[in-house]
Amino acid sequence: MKCQRCGKTAVIYQKYSNAHLCKSHFIEDVERKIKRDIRKFKMVERNDRIAVALSGGKDSIALLYILHKIFDKRQDLELSAITIDEGISGYREKTLSHAIKLTGELGIPHTIRSFEYAFGTTLDKLTEKKEAAACTLCGVLRKNILNKAARELGATKLAIGHNLDDEAQTILMNYLRGDVDRMTRISGAFQPRMVLRIKPLRSVPEKEVALYGFLNNLPVSTDECPYAGEALRNEIREMLNNYEVKHPGTKYSLLGGFEAVSQALRPPGMQIVQCEKCGEPSSETVCKTCRLLGR
Ligand code: SF4
């Protein structure tokens, strides 16, 4: 198939837009979507210090690369990366080495924090107790360290590599669980002591992020976390992918619909307090991290 813009060999067919694109027009398309969202949602402002949550997986690797490409010439902006080593043996070592490689090549300051250092334990040890699902522990504890590290670095924004698939799955999961509280939180409201999270890849489908990384020769690992498999998310991923094949554009519709209702969902005066155990921001007197760690 030929690229419909220049006639060169196409590397992708985007069913949702009915477009065949060659390598350079595909890369241009991905970067256009990201720049558009950055502008539309005012993700980046003058003098921002952007910390990128860099797990070393394909999404965060692509995110750091793209933000560097877009903003490298901007003298008023600073870019740094934070990697959290959760202690997942046989998996995190590899993605960590990708993160170190890319930040080294791009000359971006890189901070590495670990569960071991912050909490005196690892995800592998915590999951042995079987008190909570691995992804719940991992997500909550990682968010805690990421926010703290970003705050300590003086970051004004924390960039997360969530792609369109992640966003659509999360929105649908929260609808199905009836979890309005979580829905208000993914809409990105300002909260005291929380570094504002931005998601520049939110309009790029997962497959396109992977292809972007491949075409740009980024260090991408195909290994999967041994704990990957949150039951409901996997079911929703499969369902959404099947639905997308039959009804191209479904994931975009889900995201667009959520944007429309997110303002109405946000409670006017959501109370954020300091956790009485660790002092971190929390919606309850004891934060979720401390509750999960049994503090
Ligand atoms: Fe953490 Fe779960 Fe992701 Fe593994 S799959 S890195 S345990 S959130």
Side-chain angles (χ1 to χ4, degrees):
M1 281 295 181
K2 301 285 180 205
C3 173
Q4 62 190 54
R5 298 193 193 162
C6 68
K8 285 189 189 156
T9 305
V11 294
I12 188 170
Y13 171 56
Q14 290 174 335
K15 211 172 175 186
Y16 58 85
S17 66
N18 193 25
H20 289 92
L21 299 173
C22 67
K23 179 181 171 181
S24 57
H25 281 114
F26 165 71
I27 289 174
E28 190 182 282
D29 186 67
V30 168
E31 293 172 0
R32 180 190 57 80
K33 284 179 181 134
I34 292 168
K35 287 179 192 164
R36 180 200 61 198
D37 277 5
I38 288 176
R39 262 196 313 273
K40 180 175 170 191
F41 298 102
K42 297 188 173 64
M43 289 185 195
V44 176
E45 294 159 298
R46 281 193 68 79
N47 302 316
D48 260 343
R49 303 177 76 176
I50 307 163
V52 177
L54 181 67
S55 69
K58 68 175 187 328
D59 300 304
S60 62
I61 287 278
L63 174 64
L64 183 69
Y65 175 84
I66 295 169
L67 290 182
H68 177 264
K69 188 172 176 183
I70 298 174
F71 294 122
D72 190 35
K73 299 274 183 298
R74 283 271 302 265
Q75 297 295 320
D76 62 314
L77 299 177
E78 271 179 42
L79 206 56
S80 64
I82 305 170
T83 301
I84 309 298
D85 180 357
E86 303 92 344
I88 305 173
S89 66
Y91 170 69
R92 190 48 85 209
E93 300 87 347
K94 213 179 247 181
T95 55
L96 186 57
S97 74
H98 290 325
I100 293 169
K101 183 171 185 279
L102 186 67
T103 49
E105 282 171 8
L106 300 178
I108 291 174
H110 189 199
T111 301
I112 302 172
R113 298 279 165 93
S114 68
F115 278 22
E116 186 77 67
Y117 180 78
F119 307 121
T121 186
T122 64
L123 188 66
D124 286 340
K125 286 183 200 155
L126 283 168
T127 51
E128 280 169 14
K129 295 184 191 162
K130 300 199 185 311
E131 284 168 6
C135 291
T136 304
L137 282 162
C138 182
V140 172
L141 271 53
R142 186 179 36 198
K143 193 173 170 189
N144 176 294
I145 312 180
L146 265 176
N147 184 59
K148 218 186 281 182
R151 214 174 52 221
E152 285 166 11
L153 288 171
T156 51
K157 301 282 164 60
L158 178 60
I160 310 286
H162 288 186
N163 57 48
L164 174 67
D165 293 55
D166 297 324
E167 289 295 274
Q169 289 157 17
T170 304
I171 290 165
L172 194 54
M173 263 170 77
N174 290 333
Y175 275 129
L176 294 178
R177 284 172 169 157
D179 197 338
V180 179
D181 187 38
R182 251 174 216 257
M183 286 189 222
T184 62
R185 276 184 266 147
I186 53 176
S187 60
F190 170 79
Q191 293 166 358
R193 287 173 66 80
M194 290 290 288
V195 179
L196 200 62
R197 288 154 67 99
I198 57 171
K199 298 172 184 172
L201 303 184
R202 67 197 289 284
S203 293
V204 185
E206 183 173 10
K207 278 184 187 153
E208 295 189 22
V209 177
L211 181 59
Y212 182 95
F214 174 75
L215 294 174
N216 283 289
N217 294 317
L218 299 179
V220 173
S221 163
T222 49
D223 291 2
E224 210 177 53
C225 171
Y227 301 115
E230 196 185 346
L232 182 57
R233 184 175 287 272
N234 279 343
E235 278 176 36
I236 288 178
R237 176 183 293 122
E238 202 182 323
M239 183 178 95
L240 269 175
N241 286 344
N242 289 338
Y243 215 75
E244 181 74 34
V245 171
K246 288 185 204 146
H247 309 281
T250 294
K251 292 171 192 172
Y252 281 114
S253 304
L254 210 47
L255 190 62
F258 174 74
E259 267 165 37
V261 294
S262 64
Q263 288 300 326
L265 281 172
R266 193 178 302 159
M270 199 164 117
Q271 274 295 316
I272 294 294
V273 294
Q274 268 183 277
C275 167
E276 63 181 31
K277 303 276 179 195
C278 71
E280 284 301 298
S282 169
S283 54
E284 295 179 50
T285 46
V286 176
C287 74
K288 207 164 174 193
T289 300
C290 288
R291 278 183 276 140
L292 281 170
L293 293 172
R295 283 167 171 167

